[in-house]
Amino acid sequence: MNMTTNTLSSLFGGTAMLAVLTVGGCSDGDSEETGEVTATISVELPDFSIPVGESFQCYYSDVITEKDLSVVSAGGKQVEGGHHLSLYYVDNERPVGLQECSGTTEMVDWHFVVGAGGEGNEDAQLSLPKGLAFKVPKGKQLMVQAHYINVSGAEMPAADSMTIELTEAEKVEAYAADFVIDDDHFEIEPHSDFTSVMTCEVPQDLSLTMLLGHMHEQGAYYKLEQVDEAGELLTVLYESEWIPSFASHPPINKYGTDQPLELEKGTRLRQTCQWKNETDAKLLFPTEMCIGFGYYFPGTERVMCERMEEPK
């Protein structure tokens, strides 16, 4: 799916991903958990100053894929205030260089691949289950987005880098892609508590190997449930009291490819997010978030679970 179909999914695509990429250590090339690594690609961002507050920098690299890539793992490094690094491939090649991410027009060309990084996560790594990989087509330019939330009160120097590990296509049993449940219908007033609930319907049969919730530092509680047509609870899929560190290190439900979490087309999911806004500002998306996220296979395109209209 090209990102133009959902501007919000473009915005949060990398941000949601960061959470799963801050677990585990660097792979050693071949393990029980990941496929055989046959090559790596590293992208080091030029030096830049991190402004006070929230910022997004986009680095259009000189890496143009010479063949289809099968990505099995990713790691990244950021300095203090780092929230995530996200790797995209873009449809229309741009001049090599770093620039402030410009927004919707630029995002038309973006296709999310993987994310990594976060403050102090030099060894942070995404590792897909053995046999799975993300696909990047031939002839695409790689771009890295760096997201920072600088609360130091002064500009800071950045030192960001990202490395992806590849395997050969013949070693891939199936390609994986992301499944996203996004609730951006909230406004959290300063110094107040707020709860947002949404229900969505899974648009196709899915086999998930991973599931997590994603909120930011003002989050207090997250829950994802499977419900029936009357809204009655069938099962709780994910639930956690929220603490600030979960913004980049959330609890993760993992499932093997032999026993994935199966969600049939039409399954109804109810997502609940609660916040305690201790700041002086009203919080909106994307400063705060309420997202369910997972990997499904086989697939190469993002699947969104869209909000259902609430009965009036």
Side-chain angles (χ1 to χ4, degrees):
M1 181 184 74
N2 190 288
M3 293 287 195
T4 56
T5 61
N6 192 320
T7 300
L8 293 179
S9 72
S10 300
L11 270 171
F12 73 70
T15 310
M17 291 292 290
L18 72 95
V20 297
L21 306 177
T22 55
V23 295
C26 287
S27 70
D28 56 6
D30 194 8
S31 71
E32 292 300 317
E33 295 185 353
T34 63
E36 180 183 350
V37 175
T38 57
T40 62
I41 295 176
S42 295
V43 179
E44 185 170 339
L45 277 66
D47 294 339
F48 65 94
S49 294
I50 307 163
V52 175
E54 187 171 27
S55 64
F56 293 85
Q57 295 288 328
C58 288
Y59 177 57
Y60 290 88
S61 77
D62 61 357
V63 179
I64 309 296
T65 57
E66 297 180 352
K67 63 177 182 178
D68 289 352
L69 302 182
S70 299
V71 180
V72 295
S73 62
K77 179 178 69 174
Q78 290 186 284
V79 300
E80 181 182 356
H83 198 264
H84 76 269
L85 296 171
S86 297
L87 178 73
Y88 297 82
Y89 68 83
V90 297
D91 289 327
N92 297 295
E93 187 176 338
R94 293 172 180 258
V96 174
L98 184 75
Q99 63 185 52
E100 185 175 351
C101 301
S102 61
T104 305
T105 302
E106 186 178 31
M107 291 174 182
V108 167
D109 287 343
W110 295 4
H111 298 262
F112 181 73
V113 184
V114 290
E119 177 183 338
N121 291 312
E122 184 170 359
D123 294 331
Q125 180 125 358
L126 155 70
S127 296
L128 284 171
K130 190 172 184 179
L132 299 185
F134 296 111
K135 188 173 186 177
V136 179
K138 176 183 177 181
K140 301 297 183 180
Q141 182 182 26
L142 300 186
M143 186 274 283
V144 176
Q145 181 196 69
H147 180 199
Y148 273 90
I149 301 176
N150 179 3
V151 296
S152 69
E155 289 190 354
M156 301 187 305
D160 294 10
S161 62
M162 189 170 188
T163 299
I164 60 173
E165 296 183 330
L166 312 175
T167 193
E168 297 297 331
E170 57 266 24
K171 301 181 184 297
V172 177
E173 297 174 12
Y175 285 101
D178 51 328
F179 169 61
V180 181
I181 309 158
D182 171 42
D183 180 3
D184 60 355
H185 288 55
F186 58 83
E187 294 185 7
I188 313 167
E189 297 295 331
H191 302 286
S192 67
D193 298 348
F194 187 79
T195 299
S196 184
V197 181
M198 68 163 280
T199 302
C200 68
E201 199 167 89
V202 178
Q204 66 183 63
D205 291 348
L206 296 173
S207 298
L208 299 181
T209 65
M210 182 275 292
L211 180 67
L212 59 84
H214 180 67
M215 304 173 71
H216 289 177
E217 286 77 5
Q218 301 302 314
Y221 174 77
Y222 178 93
K223 181 166 65 175
L224 183 66
E225 306 164 290
Q226 182 177 343
V227 298
D228 64 17
E229 291 186 1
E232 296 297 321
L233 175 65
L234 297 176
T235 184
V236 176
L237 299 175
Y238 184 101
E239 183 176 24
S240 181
E241 299 291 334
W242 209 258
I243 58 176
S245 63
F246 286 176
S248 56
H249 296 75
I252 300 174
N253 292 350
K254 293 184 178 181
Y255 314 93
T257 52
D258 56 340
Q259 290 186 312
L261 174 62
E262 302 283 3
L263 298 178
E264 294 181 355
K265 179 180 179 180
T267 298
R268 291 196 177 191
L269 302 178
R270 182 168 62 205
Q271 180 172 250
T272 301
C273 289
Q274 296 178 357
W275 296 269
K276 290 184 178 293
N277 183 3
E278 298 178 347
T279 75
D280 296 330
K282 178 187 289 188
L283 299 179
L284 306 173
F285 178 94
T287 301
E288 259 301 338
M289 292 192 177
C290 178
I291 291 174
F293 180 85
Y295 290 142
Y296 78 96
F297 73 98
T300 58
E301 305 290 343
R302 164 171 291 162
V303 171
M304 297 287 296
C305 196
E306 304 284 0
R307 171 186 289 270
M308 297 175 63
E309 291 297 326
E310 301 293 336
K312 296 182 179 180

